[in-house]
Amino acid sequence: MLPRSTLNISSSQITNLHSLSSPSNSIISSTKMSSMVEIKKTFDRRSERVKSVDVHPTEPWVLLGLYSGNVCIWNYHSQVVEKTFEIVKTPVRTSKFIAHKEWIVVGTDDGFIRVYNYNTMERVVEIKAHDDFLRSVVVHPSHPYILSASDDKLIKLWDWEKNWECVQTFQGHDHYVMQIAFNPRDANVFASASLDCTVKTWNLGHLNQRSSIEGHLQGVNSVEFFNTDEKLYLITGSDDNTVKVWDYETETCVQTLEGHSHNVTSTLCVNSDVSSIITGSEDGTVRVWDAKTYNLDHVFTSELGRVWTIGFIKDSAQIVFGCDEGTIIGQVISTRA
């Protein structure tokens, strides 16, 4: 296994990167806040370290992946843990609902993907998927596919209608692959973030990458698509403490958001009353940025330590944070008149 330390690019090297050559790229500092949106804490629950959260599309459930090796289904209405799955003795870093199958899929540090029926709690399948930690799994929105990403630098595509066969392997990253995300406009395309300082895009069915975007000075931990009426963007969070907004078509950085004092671990784009970019960090804060002006609207400080992951409960405009010491739910409130 490679050491956690990320690749570093010097400031002199960075000036030669195509992705930062656009004159439209600018930097927003968080010294001033416009205070148009804020987060009000409504509940917190102490537990072991929470490394992943996923919100069920119809039930009032959040799936919590714990560093202890367990996975919990937590009812955010009753504030009760409804089910606990004791998976392994190694950390769970990623877990997702597959609601139409009544499944959960879990990725762990032993390199296995495990799938369970969340009603019966019976295990559906167990696959030795990777040779190192599993960092991210995502579920295809319409096909029977799961993508997995690992510290072995590989991304793999699994088809559960073909007896969980690995139907494609994507190679190209030079360090851990930390997160993957499907394109909301074209689910045959996905993006991957890596500690090799790049974000790459890929087509299902094609071996070679579509593009490789460089610009962060240290490794990239998170990637999220942000779909607006006008354009499609990529939002990335990095060990260089910054968040970058990329024009998906031109692959240029249109904005750099500065303010976090430690690694940015998670990014989330929210379209509710106000469009926002929400970022979480090992500095123990969650920051809310206006998605149009890129101004900082709000800083929320976690009482439960470092923030590792963020989820959004769409029907209630609530945010779920997974932290070192548990889970926080906060209400996103617009303060515009």
Side-chain angles (χ1 to χ4, degrees), residues 40-58:
K40 295 287 189 183
K41 186 180 79 171
T42 57
F43 183 78
D44 62 24
R45 173 184 176 271
R46 291 190 175 269
S47 71
E48 308 99 307
R49 184 183 303 171
V50 179
K51 293 295 289 183
S52 70
V53 300
D54 190 43
V55 179
H56 194 283
T58 57

Side-chain angles (χ1 to χ4, degrees), residues 293-311:
T293 65
Y294 303 114
N295 289 328
L296 181 70
D297 276 346
H298 183 66
V299 178
F300 177 90
T301 301
S302 163
E303 298 172 354
L304 300 182
R306 294 173 293 182
V307 179
W308 295 105
T309 180
I310 308 174

Side-chain angles (χ1 to χ4, degrees), residues 109-129:
D109 277 9
D110 60 3
F112 278 83
I113 291 173
R114 294 174 176 89
V115 181
Y116 295 82
N117 183 298
Y118 59 63
N119 289 321
T120 67
M121 299 185 71
E122 294 178 352
R123 191 167 66 198
V124 176
V125 72
E126 179 179 83
I127 310 163
K128 177 61 174 175

Side-chain angles (χ1 to χ4, degrees), residues 181-202:
F182 279 112
N183 183 336
R185 294 187 179 182
D186 182 358
N188 287 317
V189 176
F190 69 92
S192 57
S194 171
L195 295 191
D196 64 10
C197 304
T198 71
V199 173
K200 298 183 186 295
T201 60
W202 314 78

Side-chain angles (χ1 to χ4, degrees), residues 97-101 103 105 113 115 124-125 127 138-148 156-168 182 187-188 204:
F97 284 111
I98 309 178
H100 64 284
K101 300 293 287 185
W103 291 345
V105 56
I113 291 173
V115 181
V124 176
V125 72
I127 310 163
V138 291
V139 182
H140 195 280
S142 57
H143 293 304
Y145 299 154
I146 291 171
L147 275 173
S148 61
K156 295 185 178 183
L157 180 68
W158 307 87
D159 187 334
W160 67 71
E161 290 189 352
K162 293 184 177 180
N163 198 29
W164 294 94
E165 177 185 351
C166 178
V167 294
Q168 191 169 358
F182 279 112
N188 287 317
L204 300 183

Side-chain angles (χ1 to χ4, degrees), residues 4 178-179 193-195 219-223 237-239 263-265:
R4 162 68 195 184
M178 301 298 286
Q179 193 172 48
S194 171
L195 295 191
V220 187
N221 294 310
S222 63
V223 60
S238 169
D239 285 345
N263 303 353
V264 179
T265 56

Side-chain angles (χ1 to χ4, degrees), residues 25-158:
N25 176 55
S26 57
I27 296 174
I28 292 287
S29 172
S30 63
T31 53
K32 294 183 179 180
M33 288 185 284
S34 54
S35 300
M36 294 298 183
V37 172
E38 59 185 54
I39 298 171
K40 295 287 189 183
K41 186 180 79 171
T42 57
F43 183 78
D44 62 24
R45 173 184 176 271
R46 291 190 175 269
S47 71
E48 308 99 307
R49 184 183 303 171
V50 179
K51 293 295 289 183
S52 70
V53 300
D54 190 43
V55 179
H56 194 283
T58 57
E59 300 289 342
W61 295 343
V62 178
L63 184 65
L64 306 175
L66 305 180
Y67 197 78
S68 65
N70 293 346
V71 170
C72 300
I73 295 177
W74 180 50
N75 188 315
Y76 54 82
H77 284 172
S78 66
Q79 299 176 0
V80 170
V81 174
E82 296 201 352
K83 292 177 181 176
T84 298
F85 299 78
E86 296 181 357
I87 309 295
V88 286
K89 299 299 183 183
T90 60
V92 173
R93 297 182 189 272
T94 179
S95 55
K96 297 288 184 183
F97 284 111
I98 309 178
H100 64 284
K101 300 293 287 185
E102 299 181 344
W103 291 345
I104 59 171
V105 56
V106 181
T108 50
D109 277 9
D110 60 3
F112 278 83
I113 291 173
R114 294 174 176 89
V115 181
Y116 295 82
N117 183 298
Y118 59 63
N119 289 321
T120 67
M121 299 185 71
E122 294 178 352
R123 191 167 66 198
V124 176
V125 72
E126 179 179 83
I127 310 163
K128 177 61 174 175
H130 291 271
D131 293 330
D132 212 329
F133 296 177
L134 260 120
R135 294 283 180 175
S136 180
V137 294
V138 291
V139 182
H140 195 280
S142 57
H143 293 304
Y145 299 154
I146 291 171
L147 275 173
S148 61
S150 169
D151 285 4
D152 65 9
K153 312 178 203 174
L154 301 178
I155 303 163
K156 295 185 178 183
L157 180 68
W158 307 87

